[in-house]
Amino acid sequence: MSVFDHNEFDNHEQVSFFSDPKTGLNAIIAVHNTNLGPSLGGCRMWPYQDSAEALNDVLRLSKGMTYKAAMAQLKLGGGKAVILGDPRKHKTDDMMKAMGRFVEQMGGRYITAEDSGIAVSDIRLMSENTEHVGGVDAKYRYDGGKADGNPAPSTAYGVFMGLKASVDYALKTDLKGLKVAVQGLGHVGYRLAKHLHAEGAELFVSDIYADNVERAVAELGATAVSPDGIFDVDADVYAPCAMGASVNQNTIERLKAKVIAGAANNQLANEHLGQVLRDKGILYAPDYVINAGGVIDIYHQRILSSAQALRSHIEGIADTLNEIYQRADESSMPTNLISNRIAEERFKQIS
Ligand code: NAD
């Protein structure tokens, strides 16, 4: 498995592999770019088929974080960590502490936080061995509620505000009675579904775990859909909130939604699909723009600002999206490429 000539290698500054046989930890940390500040990005635990799949994921995800921080105007770079394993089966406290040692070895160039499969309690265990963590012991929540450090509420709120702005831009309507297909009902997807339900949207939901779906049906009146069936729902909006690449060659022809706006990272299997979506008249909210609420939260906790400042920063995601949509329409370009261009202007200039 090679790194330097890997398809997803984008002059990443550092890629580190870590193995701890005692705890069974096998992990990779990738630092994409630190021009704007130390790299920050969540740690994902996922049952990757092999290390090649994990490397692919961490290279893509860390790059996305550089673009995300730049678009959210944060003094942070892009990095990400992945742990190979099933969080429901393989995760142990000792493994999380070992992960903390790995993060510590990065010497502050990488700051970790929650991502799929990693909870606040895991970050707390990592923090026993490193101070380079975010998403724990937060001082406040964006809505004034009790904070536990989990960035997911802020991510979900940002996606919700961004989704509303996207619907307004593309469909000139609000969410009442709008059909939204939500893929993935985890930390972010479920909270997003709650926001959408509160605004009167009709929900169609899928998850690979039946208990997550059953909860949404019982609590939010959602319609359950199979993991594969979510792509065929006759919805106005598709909100991917699970893993990456759910918009791909196979699914793009099946999607009926006019707006794609969700929390997942790397939603498009490749950048070219942005043009395909534009040609099909589907408005795509660039993933790293709409899902930046969590990293914005962690940033504000680090600089000790306030709940109000955090909330208005998250709400700014809607303005950023509107700017992207206008520039995309003016130049007849796909939204993902317009967004990449703006981000690159910001983080490449510094170098
Ligand atoms: P999570 O693990 O809590 O939730 C993901 C959910 O998706 C799980 O319930 C899982 O069972 C489900 N899922 C997985 N594959 C699926 C499939 N094929 N079909 C349907 N459901 C499937 O993770 P999360 O923290 O909610 O993050 C969700 C996505 O948002 C991830 O891509 C993550 O990288 C991204 N994201 C999360 C945050 C955050 O603050 N947590 C911030 C930015 C981006």
Side-chain angles (χ1 to χ4, degrees), residues 44-46 61 65 68 80 87-88 114-118 150-156 159 182-191 205-209 212 226-228 230-231 240-244 246 262-266 287 291-295 298:
R44 173 176 290 187
M45 184 163 183
W46 185 251
L61 289 166
M65 289 307 298
K68 188 182 301 198
K80 202 85 182 182
R88 290 200 181 195
E114 295 84 354
D115 193 77
S116 188
I118 294 294
N150 184 358
S154 287
T155 304
V159 174
V182 182
Q183 182 202 40
L185 296 165
H187 289 110
V188 182
Y190 195 78
R191 288 180 169 90
V205 298
S206 73
D207 198 288
I208 50 174
Y209 292 110
N212 289 347
S226 69
D228 187 55
I230 198 79
F231 303 110
C241 299
M243 295 298 117
S246 80
N265 284 306
N266 299 326
D287 44 16
N291 71 14
V295 72
I298 292 169

Tab-separated table of all heavy atoms in Angstrom, residues 44-46 61 65 68 80 87-88 114-118 150-156 159 182-191 205-209 212 226-228 230-231 240-244 246 262-266 287 291-295 298, ligand 1:
chain	number	residue	atom	x	y	z
A	44	ARG	N	-12.447	8.916	13.753
A	44	ARG	CA	-13.523	8.004	13.339
A	44	ARG	C	-13.133	6.573	13.653
A	44	ARG	O	-11.997	6.166	13.382
A	44	ARG	CB	-13.762	8.160	11.829
A	44	ARG	CG	-14.735	7.161	11.260
A	44	ARG	CD	-15.008	7.403	9.797
A	44	ARG	NE	-15.781	8.612	9.572
A	44	ARG	CZ	-16.262	8.989	8.388
A	44	ARG	NH1	-16.053	8.242	7.336
A	44	ARG	NH2	-16.958	10.105	8.260
A	45	MET	N	-14.056	5.810	14.210
A	45	MET	CA	-13.821	4.371	14.362
A	45	MET	C	-14.839	3.649	13.496
A	45	MET	O	-16.053	3.858	13.625
A	45	MET	CB	-13.950	3.941	15.823
A	45	MET	CG	-13.621	2.468	16.020
A	45	MET	SD	-13.292	2.059	17.735
A	45	MET	CE	-12.863	0.317	17.568
A	46	TRP	N	-14.342	2.801	12.615
A	46	TRP	CA	-15.217	2.191	11.627
A	46	TRP	C	-14.664	0.806	11.247
A	46	TRP	O	-13.438	0.650	11.159
A	46	TRP	CB	-15.288	3.105	10.383
A	46	TRP	CG	-16.258	2.631	9.337
A	46	TRP	CD1	-15.961	2.106	8.118
A	46	TRP	CD2	-17.698	2.651	9.426
A	46	TRP	NE1	-17.113	1.795	7.445
A	46	TRP	CE2	-18.199	2.112	8.220
A	46	TRP	CE3	-18.610	3.051	10.405
A	46	TRP	CZ2	-19.560	1.972	7.976
A	46	TRP	CZ3	-19.963	2.915	10.168
A	46	TRP	CH2	-20.421	2.386	8.957
A	61	LEU	N	-10.704	12.593	4.328
A	61	LEU	CA	-11.326	13.332	5.437
A	61	LEU	C	-10.436	14.471	5.936
A	61	LEU	O	-10.919	15.561	6.234
A	61	LEU	CB	-11.631	12.379	6.597
A	61	LEU	CG	-12.769	11.379	6.357
A	61	LEU	CD1	-12.753	10.279	7.418
A	61	LEU	CD2	-14.115	12.094	6.379
A	65	MET	N	-11.102	18.623	5.992
A	65	MET	CA	-11.041	19.486	7.182
A	65	MET	C	-10.294	20.786	6.891
A	65	MET	O	-10.611	21.829	7.455
A	65	MET	CB	-10.375	18.742	8.348
A	65	MET	CG	-11.197	17.626	8.957
A	65	MET	SD	-12.875	18.080	9.483
A	65	MET	CE	-12.555	19.314	10.731
A	68	LYS	N	-12.796	22.817	5.192
A	68	LYS	CA	-13.873	23.177	6.122
A	68	LYS	C	-13.449	24.354	7.008
A	68	LYS	O	-14.175	25.328	7.160
A	68	LYS	CB	-14.197	21.961	7.009
A	68	LYS	CG	-15.416	22.154	7.877
A	68	LYS	CD	-15.666	20.933	8.772
A	68	LYS	CE	-15.876	19.661	7.996
A	68	LYS	NZ	-16.516	18.606	8.802
A	80	LYS	N	-7.188	14.484	10.485
A	80	LYS	CA	-8.228	13.519	10.830
A	80	LYS	C	-7.557	12.243	11.310
A	80	LYS	O	-6.420	11.937	10.924
A	80	LYS	CB	-9.074	13.218	9.579
A	80	LYS	CG	-10.444	12.687	9.856
A	80	LYS	CD	-11.471	13.768	10.102
A	80	LYS	CE	-12.823	13.166	10.415
A	80	LYS	NZ	-13.861	14.147	10.628
A	87	PRO	N	-16.853	-0.027	16.420
A	87	PRO	CA	-16.981	0.602	17.746
A	87	PRO	C	-17.912	-0.164	18.688
A	87	PRO	O	-17.735	-0.131	19.904
A	87	PRO	CB	-17.529	1.997	17.434
A	87	PRO	CG	-18.059	1.943	16.044
A	87	PRO	CD	-17.289	0.870	15.339
A	88	ARG	N	-18.905	-0.856	18.131
A	88	ARG	CA	-19.838	-1.588	19.012
A	88	ARG	C	-19.225	-2.885	19.526
A	88	ARG	O	-19.709	-3.469	20.479
A	88	ARG	CB	-21.153	-1.888	18.281
A	88	ARG	CG	-22.003	-0.630	18.036
A	88	ARG	CD	-23.464	-0.982	17.765
A	88	ARG	NE	-24.258	0.225	17.520
A	88	ARG	CZ	-25.581	0.265	17.539
A	88	ARG	NH1	-26.291	-0.814	17.780
A	88	ARG	NH2	-26.232	1.394	17.308
A	114	GLU	N	-14.548	14.176	18.391
A	114	GLU	CA	-15.478	13.094	18.061
A	114	GLU	C	-15.712	13.008	16.545
A	114	GLU	O	-15.689	14.011	15.849
A	114	GLU	CB	-16.845	13.321	18.722
A	114	GLU	CG	-16.854	13.271	20.232
A	114	GLU	CD	-16.457	14.590	20.880
A	114	GLU	OE1	-16.056	15.522	20.144
A	114	GLU	OE2	-16.529	14.690	22.111
A	115	ASP	N	-15.926	11.824	16.076
A	115	ASP	CA	-16.502	11.598	14.748
A	115	ASP	C	-17.309	10.311	14.871
A	115	ASP	O	-17.544	9.809	15.982
A	115	ASP	CB	-15.423	11.507	13.655
A	115	ASP	CG	-16.031	11.583	12.246
A	115	ASP	OD1	-16.381	12.681	11.807
A	115	ASP	OD2	-16.197	10.533	11.586
A	116	SER	N	-17.714	9.773	13.766
A	116	SER	CA	-18.531	8.577	13.789
A	116	SER	C	-17.843	7.474	14.608
A	116	SER	O	-16.659	7.183	14.392
A	116	SER	CB	-18.760	8.122	12.346
A	116	SER	OG	-19.693	7.096	12.336
A	117	GLY	N	-18.570	6.901	15.544
A	117	GLY	CA	-18.043	5.794	16.345
A	117	GLY	C	-17.271	6.227	17.574
A	117	GLY	O	-16.854	5.388	18.372
A	118	ILE	N	-17.052	7.522	17.729
A	118	ILE	CA	-16.287	8.024	18.888
A	118	ILE	C	-17.135	9.037	19.650
A	118	ILE	O	-17.606	10.028	19.076
A	118	ILE	CB	-14.957	8.672	18.427
A	118	ILE	CG1	-14.031	7.608	17.813
A	118	ILE	CG2	-14.252	9.389	19.584
A	118	ILE	CD1	-13.525	6.537	18.777
A	150	ASN	N	-19.836	17.440	23.284
A	150	ASN	CA	-20.155	16.793	22.014
A	150	ASN	C	-20.481	17.851	20.949
A	150	ASN	O	-21.412	18.637	21.124
A	150	ASN	CB	-21.365	15.866	22.227
A	150	ASN	CG	-21.711	15.069	20.985
A	150	ASN	OD1	-21.077	15.229	19.944
A	150	ASN	ND2	-22.712	14.223	21.097
A	151	PRO	N	-19.731	17.878	19.845
A	151	PRO	CA	-20.000	18.898	18.825
A	151	PRO	C	-21.242	18.612	17.978
A	151	PRO	O	-21.687	19.477	17.215
A	151	PRO	CB	-18.741	18.863	17.939
A	151	PRO	CG	-18.189	17.489	18.124
A	151	PRO	CD	-18.570	17.037	19.504
A	152	ALA	N	-21.816	17.400	18.119
A	152	ALA	CA	-22.925	17.009	17.235
A	152	ALA	C	-24.121	17.977	17.273
A	152	ALA	O	-24.697	18.260	16.221
A	152	ALA	CB	-23.372	15.576	17.543
A	153	PRO	N	-24.522	18.494	18.456
A	153	PRO	CA	-25.653	19.440	18.422
A	153	PRO	C	-25.365	20.653	17.546
A	153	PRO	O	-26.240	21.112	16.798
A	153	PRO	CB	-25.813	19.845	19.894
A	153	PRO	CG	-25.259	18.704	20.670
A	153	PRO	CD	-24.119	18.185	19.844
A	154	SER	N	-24.148	21.170	17.605
A	154	SER	CA	-23.794	22.322	16.762
A	154	SER	C	-23.728	21.929	15.291
A	154	SER	O	-24.130	22.696	14.413
A	154	SER	CB	-22.441	22.913	17.193
A	154	SER	OG	-22.583	23.606	18.409
A	155	THR	N	-23.215	20.742	15.022
A	155	THR	CA	-23.177	20.285	13.632
A	155	THR	C	-24.598	20.179	13.089
A	155	THR	O	-24.898	20.669	11.986
A	155	THR	CB	-22.487	18.905	13.514
A	155	THR	OG1	-21.186	18.997	14.087
A	155	THR	CG2	-22.369	18.462	12.066
A	156	ALA	N	-25.469	19.560	13.874
A	156	ALA	CA	-26.850	19.357	13.417
A	156	ALA	C	-27.553	20.697	13.204
A	156	ALA	O	-28.284	20.874	12.219
A	156	ALA	CB	-27.617	18.509	14.431
A	159	VAL	N	-26.270	22.203	9.990
A	159	VAL	CA	-26.829	21.512	8.817
A	159	VAL	C	-28.289	21.943	8.626
A	159	VAL	O	-28.736	22.198	7.496
A	159	VAL	CB	-26.726	19.974	8.963
A	159	VAL	CG1	-27.441	19.273	7.808
A	159	VAL	CG2	-25.271	19.540	9.011
A	182	VAL	N	-33.642	11.306	5.261
A	182	VAL	CA	-32.435	11.391	6.083
A	182	VAL	C	-31.762	10.022	6.122
A	182	VAL	O	-32.347	9.045	6.600
A	182	VAL	CB	-32.772	11.848	7.527
A	182	VAL	CG1	-31.496	11.984	8.354
A	182	VAL	CG2	-33.536	13.170	7.515
A	183	GLN	N	-30.531	9.956	5.636
A	183	GLN	CA	-29.777	8.701	5.688
A	183	GLN	C	-28.834	8.744	6.893
A	183	GLN	O	-27.945	9.593	6.954
A	183	GLN	CB	-28.922	8.530	4.415
A	183	GLN	CG	-28.148	7.212	4.412
A	183	GLN	CD	-26.933	7.230	3.499
A	183	GLN	OE1	-26.226	8.211	3.431
A	183	GLN	NE2	-26.711	6.142	2.796
A	184	GLY	N	-29.049	7.858	7.857
A	184	GLY	CA	-28.183	7.815	9.032
A	184	GLY	C	-28.756	8.618	10.175
A	184	GLY	O	-28.943	9.829	10.063
A	185	LEU	N	-29.068	7.926	11.273
A	185	LEU	CA	-29.709	8.586	12.429
A	185	LEU	C	-28.810	8.499	13.652
A	185	LEU	O	-29.233	8.077	14.715
A	185	LEU	CB	-31.059	7.930	12.703
A	185	LEU	CG	-32.083	8.090	11.579
A	185	LEU	CD1	-33.242	7.122	11.755
A	185	LEU	CD2	-32.592	9.526	11.515
A	186	GLY	N	-27.555	8.880	13.476
A	186	GLY	CA	-26.614	8.855	14.594
A	186	GLY	C	-26.638	10.171	15.343
A	186	GLY	O	-27.668	10.844	15.433
A	187	HIS	N	-25.482	10.554	15.867
A	187	HIS	CA	-25.386	11.766	16.689
A	187	HIS	C	-25.912	12.996	15.970
A	187	HIS	O	-26.607	13.821	16.553
A	187	HIS	CB	-23.926	12.013	17.092
A	187	HIS	CG	-23.421	11.030	18.095
A	187	HIS	ND1	-22.482	10.067	17.809
A	187	HIS	CD2	-23.759	10.853	19.386
A	187	HIS	CE1	-22.253	9.341	18.883
A	187	HIS	NE2	-23.014	9.781	19.853
A	188	VAL	N	-25.576	13.127	14.706
A	188	VAL	CA	-25.999	14.322	13.961
A	188	VAL	C	-27.346	14.098	13.271
A	188	VAL	O	-28.258	14.918	13.376
A	188	VAL	CB	-24.935	14.726	12.913
A	188	VAL	CG1	-25.381	15.995	12.191
A	188	VAL	CG2	-23.581	14.945	13.562
A	189	GLY	N	-27.473	12.970	12.572
A	189	GLY	CA	-28.677	12.720	11.769
A	189	GLY	C	-29.944	12.763	12.601
A	189	GLY	O	-30.956	13.336	12.183
A	190	TYR	N	-29.876	12.186	13.798
A	190	TYR	CA	-31.089	12.168	14.614
A	190	TYR	C	-31.471	13.579	15.072
A	190	TYR	O	-32.639	13.968	15.045
A	190	TYR	CB	-30.943	11.237	15.837
A	190	TYR	CG	-32.296	10.957	16.420
A	190	TYR	CD1	-33.132	10.023	15.808
A	190	TYR	CD2	-32.778	11.661	17.508
A	190	TYR	CE1	-34.414	9.809	16.287
A	190	TYR	CE2	-34.055	11.454	17.994
A	190	TYR	CZ	-34.865	10.517	17.374
A	190	TYR	OH	-36.140	10.308	17.826
A	191	ARG	N	-30.442	14.326	15.474
A	191	ARG	CA	-30.723	15.718	15.911
A	191	ARG	C	-31.239	16.555	14.744
A	191	ARG	O	-32.126	17.397	14.914
A	191	ARG	CB	-29.459	16.338	16.497
A	191	ARG	CG	-29.083	15.766	17.852
A	191	ARG	CD	-27.824	16.428	18.393
A	191	ARG	NE	-27.590	16.081	19.784
A	191	ARG	CZ	-26.877	15.032	20.187
A	191	ARG	NH1	-26.338	14.207	19.300
A	191	ARG	NH2	-26.711	14.789	21.474
A	205	VAL	N	-36.656	7.962	6.779
A	205	VAL	CA	-35.363	7.754	7.430
A	205	VAL	C	-34.831	6.336	7.243
A	205	VAL	O	-35.592	5.366	7.149
A	205	VAL	CB	-35.461	8.052	8.948
A	205	VAL	CG1	-35.841	9.495	9.200
A	205	VAL	CG2	-36.461	7.111	9.632
A	206	SER	N	-33.493	6.244	7.223
A	206	SER	CA	-32.870	4.921	7.164
A	206	SER	C	-31.661	4.882	8.079
A	206	SER	O	-31.042	5.908	8.355
A	206	SER	CB	-32.421	4.598	5.733
A	206	SER	OG	-31.283	5.360	5.398
A	207	ASP	N	-31.362	3.697	8.571
A	207	ASP	CA	-30.129	3.467	9.330
A	207	ASP	C	-29.847	1.971	9.249
A	207	ASP	O	-30.763	1.170	9.015
A	207	ASP	CB	-30.276	3.913	10.792
A	207	ASP	CG	-28.914	4.107	11.467
A	207	ASP	OD1	-28.232	3.098	11.743
A	207	ASP	OD2	-28.526	5.268	11.690
A	208	ILE	N	-28.581	1.605	9.463
A	208	ILE	CA	-28.288	0.165	9.434
A	208	ILE	C	-28.666	-0.489	10.765
A	208	ILE	O	-28.700	-1.699	10.866
A	208	ILE	CB	-26.811	-0.129	9.058
A	208	ILE	CG1	-25.858	0.704	9.915
A	208	ILE	CG2	-26.568	0.131	7.587
A	208	ILE	CD1	-24.388	0.366	9.689
A	209	TYR	N	-28.934	0.327	11.794
A	209	TYR	CA	-29.390	-0.209	13.079
A	209	TYR	C	-30.883	0.071	13.246
A	209	TYR	O	-31.313	1.224	13.247
A	209	TYR	CB	-28.598	0.389	14.235
A	209	TYR	CG	-27.156	-0.074	14.236
A	209	TYR	CD1	-26.125	0.800	13.917
A	209	TYR	CD2	-26.837	-1.401	14.513
A	209	TYR	CE1	-24.806	0.367	13.887
A	209	TYR	CE2	-25.528	-1.842	14.481
A	209	TYR	CZ	-24.516	-0.961	14.173
A	209	TYR	OH	-23.218	-1.397	14.140
A	212	ASN	N	-32.266	2.676	15.867
A	212	ASN	CA	-32.229	4.105	15.509
A	212	ASN	C	-33.457	4.485	14.684
A	212	ASN	O	-34.038	5.552	14.863
A	212	ASN	CB	-30.956	4.419	14.709
A	212	ASN	CG	-29.716	4.374	15.588
A	212	ASN	OD1	-29.824	4.355	16.807
A	212	ASN	ND2	-28.553	4.351	14.965
A	226	SER	N	-35.610	1.276	3.978
A	226	SER	CA	-34.433	0.413	4.084
A	226	SER	C	-33.178	1.207	3.690
A	226	SER	O	-33.282	2.213	2.975
A	226	SER	CB	-34.580	-0.788	3.147
A	226	SER	OG	-34.483	-0.328	1.808
A	227	PRO	N	-31.992	0.760	4.136
A	227	PRO	CA	-30.769	1.503	3.775
A	227	PRO	C	-30.623	1.703	2.266
A	227	PRO	O	-30.173	2.765	1.833
A	227	PRO	CB	-29.653	0.622	4.339
A	227	PRO	CG	-30.273	-0.039	5.525
A	227	PRO	CD	-31.710	-0.296	5.118
A	228	ASP	N	-30.999	0.733	1.490
A	228	ASP	CA	-30.875	0.925	0.041
A	228	ASP	C	-32.049	1.728	-0.525
A	228	ASP	O	-31.878	2.509	-1.460
A	228	ASP	CB	-30.775	-0.437	-0.668
A	228	ASP	CG	-30.469	-0.240	-2.149
A	228	ASP	OD1	-29.457	0.431	-2.453
A	228	ASP	OD2	-31.266	-0.704	-2.998
A	230	ILE	N	-33.517	4.277	0.560
A	230	ILE	CA	-33.491	5.723	0.815
A	230	ILE	C	-33.219	6.510	-0.470
A	230	ILE	O	-33.668	7.645	-0.628
A	230	ILE	CB	-32.461	6.074	1.927
A	230	ILE	CG1	-32.732	7.467	2.516
A	230	ILE	CG2	-31.033	5.973	1.453
A	230	ILE	CD1	-33.829	7.534	3.512
A	231	PHE	N	-32.518	5.881	-1.416
A	231	PHE	CA	-32.166	6.584	-2.658
A	231	PHE	C	-33.349	6.693	-3.612
A	231	PHE	O	-33.296	7.449	-4.581
A	231	PHE	CB	-30.992	5.870	-3.355
A	231	PHE	CG	-29.786	5.752	-2.470
A	231	PHE	CD1	-29.396	4.514	-1.975
A	231	PHE	CD2	-29.060	6.869	-2.107
A	231	PHE	CE1	-28.301	4.400	-1.134
A	231	PHE	CE2	-27.957	6.765	-1.265
A	231	PHE	CZ	-27.578	5.527	-0.782
A	240	PRO	N	-27.813	13.302	3.484
A	240	PRO	CA	-26.921	12.199	3.863
A	240	PRO	C	-26.212	12.485	5.176
A	240	PRO	O	-25.487	13.479	5.285
A	240	PRO	CB	-25.914	12.151	2.690
A	240	PRO	CG	-26.008	13.454	1.988
A	240	PRO	CD	-27.279	14.135	2.399
A	241	CYS	N	-26.425	11.641	6.158
A	241	CYS	CA	-25.825	11.845	7.483
A	241	CYS	C	-25.173	10.558	7.971
A	241	CYS	O	-25.150	10.278	9.184
A	241	CYS	CB	-26.882	12.299	8.486
A	241	CYS	SG	-27.667	13.848	8.054
A	242	ALA	N	-24.687	9.727	7.041
A	242	ALA	CA	-24.018	8.482	7.441
A	242	ALA	C	-22.562	8.552	7.007
A	242	ALA	O	-21.840	9.454	7.418
A	242	ALA	CB	-24.757	7.292	6.849
A	243	MET	N	-22.141	7.651	6.158
A	243	MET	CA	-20.755	7.647	5.704
A	243	MET	C	-20.628	8.387	4.371
A	243	MET	O	-21.608	8.867	3.821
A	243	MET	CB	-20.259	6.203	5.561
A	243	MET	CG	-20.209	5.458	6.859
A	243	MET	SD	-19.046	6.229	8.029
A	243	MET	CE	-20.152	6.706	9.322
A	244	GLY	N	-19.397	8.442	3.841
A	244	GLY	CA	-19.158	9.199	2.611
A	244	GLY	C	-19.606	8.462	1.362
A	244	GLY	O	-20.036	7.305	1.409
A	246	SER	N	-22.126	8.537	-0.609
A	246	SER	CA	-23.469	7.999	-0.849
A	246	SER	C	-24.042	8.559	-2.150
A	246	SER	O	-24.981	7.987	-2.706
A	246	SER	CB	-24.402	8.276	0.337
A	246	SER	OG	-24.903	9.582	0.299
A	262	GLY	N	-26.707	17.651	3.777
A	262	GLY	CA	-26.604	16.753	4.923
A	262	GLY	C	-25.267	16.889	5.625
A	262	GLY	O	-24.407	17.683	5.232
A	263	ALA	N	-25.092	16.059	6.661
A	263	ALA	CA	-23.934	16.192	7.545
A	263	ALA	C	-22.722	15.379	7.113
A	263	ALA	O	-21.603	15.670	7.529
A	263	ALA	CB	-24.330	15.733	8.948
A	264	ALA	N	-22.923	14.337	6.325
A	264	ALA	CA	-21.822	13.409	6.057
A	264	ALA	C	-20.650	14.127	5.397
A	264	ALA	O	-20.829	15.091	4.653
A	264	ALA	CB	-22.306	12.274	5.162
A	265	ASN	N	-19.458	13.641	5.701
A	265	ASN	CA	-18.269	14.134	5.017
A	265	ASN	C	-18.101	13.383	3.704
A	265	ASN	O	-18.487	12.223	3.590
A	265	ASN	CB	-17.035	13.898	5.894
A	265	ASN	CG	-16.961	14.893	7.030
A	265	ASN	OD1	-17.005	16.113	6.801
A	265	ASN	ND2	-16.862	14.409	8.255
A	266	ASN	N	-17.530	14.061	2.714
A	266	ASN	CA	-17.225	13.428	1.419
A	266	ASN	C	-18.443	12.756	0.797
A	266	ASN	O	-18.412	11.582	0.433
A	266	ASN	CB	-16.094	12.406	1.570
A	266	ASN	CG	-14.821	13.063	2.045
A	266	ASN	OD1	-14.538	14.206	1.702
A	266	ASN	ND2	-14.062	12.357	2.855
A	287	ASP	N	-20.457	19.629	1.334
A	287	ASP	CA	-20.496	18.980	2.662
A	287	ASP	C	-19.673	19.701	3.709
A	287	ASP	O	-20.136	19.951	4.823
A	287	ASP	CB	-20.076	17.499	2.542
A	287	ASP	CG	-18.855	17.278	1.667
A	287	ASP	OD1	-18.132	18.259	1.380
A	287	ASP	OD2	-18.628	16.117	1.271
A	291	ASN	N	-21.527	21.218	7.086
A	291	ASN	CA	-21.362	20.448	8.330
A	291	ASN	C	-20.278	21.015	9.259
A	291	ASN	O	-19.771	20.313	10.126
A	291	ASN	CB	-21.121	18.962	8.017
A	291	ASN	CG	-19.745	18.699	7.422
A	291	ASN	OD1	-18.853	19.532	7.453
A	291	ASN	ND2	-19.570	17.497	6.888
A	292	ALA	N	-19.977	22.300	9.100
A	292	ALA	CA	-18.872	22.891	9.874
A	292	ALA	C	-19.263	23.281	11.307
A	292	ALA	O	-18.409	23.713	12.081
A	292	ALA	CB	-18.329	24.117	9.148
A	293	GLY	N	-20.534	23.132	11.675
A	293	GLY	CA	-20.974	23.575	13.009
A	293	GLY	C	-20.149	22.964	14.140
A	293	GLY	O	-19.841	23.647	15.130
A	294	GLY	N	-19.767	21.715	14.007
A	294	GLY	CA	-19.028	21.042	15.080
A	294	GLY	C	-17.637	21.618	15.269
A	294	GLY	O	-17.200	21.877	16.399
A	295	VAL	N	-16.939	21.844	14.178
A	295	VAL	CA	-15.578	22.378	14.304
A	295	VAL	C	-15.627	23.846	14.746
A	295	VAL	O	-14.768	24.316	15.508
A	295	VAL	CB	-14.755	22.151	13.000
A	295	VAL	CG1	-15.182	23.023	11.865
A	295	VAL	CG2	-13.275	22.362	13.267
A	298	ILE	N	-15.995	23.612	18.517
A	298	ILE	CA	-14.740	23.276	19.205
A	298	ILE	C	-13.791	24.481	19.201
A	298	ILE	O	-13.133	24.785	20.201
A	298	ILE	CB	-14.085	22.039	18.545
A	298	ILE	CG1	-14.959	20.811	18.810
A	298	ILE	CG2	-12.680	21.807	19.080
A	298	ILE	CD1	-14.581	19.586	18.002
B	1	NAD	P1	-22.728	8.402	13.939
B	1	NAD	O1	-21.847	7.221	13.846
B	1	NAD	O2	-23.243	8.803	15.273
B	1	NAD	O3	-23.960	8.239	12.956
B	1	NAD	C1	-23.864	7.652	11.695
B	1	NAD	C2	-25.112	6.818	11.535
B	1	NAD	O4	-25.177	6.359	10.190
B	1	NAD	C3	-25.109	5.587	12.428
B	1	NAD	O5	-26.330	5.534	13.153
B	1	NAD	C4	-24.966	4.427	11.459
B	1	NAD	O6	-25.624	3.278	11.893
B	1	NAD	C5	-25.619	5.006	10.220
B	1	NAD	N1	-25.222	4.382	8.958
B	1	NAD	C6	-23.999	3.932	8.580
B	1	NAD	N2	-24.050	3.456	7.327
B	1	NAD	C7	-25.329	3.611	6.899
B	1	NAD	C8	-26.024	3.322	5.692
B	1	NAD	N3	-25.404	2.737	4.658
B	1	NAD	N4	-27.332	3.646	5.606
B	1	NAD	C9	-27.971	4.226	6.635
B	1	NAD	N5	-27.370	4.518	7.810
B	1	NAD	C10	-26.071	4.220	7.941
B	1	NAD	O7	-21.931	9.624	13.267
B	1	NAD	P2	-22.262	11.176	13.345
B	1	NAD	O8	-21.372	11.806	14.334
B	1	NAD	O9	-23.721	11.377	13.407
B	1	NAD	O10	-21.727	11.640	11.910
B	1	NAD	C11	-22.476	11.359	10.739
B	1	NAD	C12	-21.713	11.891	9.532
B	1	NAD	O11	-21.528	13.298	9.690
B	1	NAD	C13	-20.324	11.305	9.355
B	1	NAD	O12	-20.016	11.253	7.982
B	1	NAD	C14	-19.415	12.323	10.017
B	1	NAD	O13	-18.124	12.299	9.505
B	1	NAD	C15	-20.147	13.601	9.641
B	1	NAD	N6	-19.891	14.708	10.548
B	1	NAD	C16	-20.125	14.575	11.880
B	1	NAD	C17	-19.863	15.647	12.724
B	1	NAD	C18	-20.145	15.577	14.200
B	1	NAD	O14	-20.160	16.632	14.867
B	1	NAD	N7	-20.418	14.407	14.759
B	1	NAD	C19	-19.352	16.846	12.201
B	1	NAD	C20	-19.150	16.948	10.828
B	1	NAD	C21	-19.409	15.880	10.010
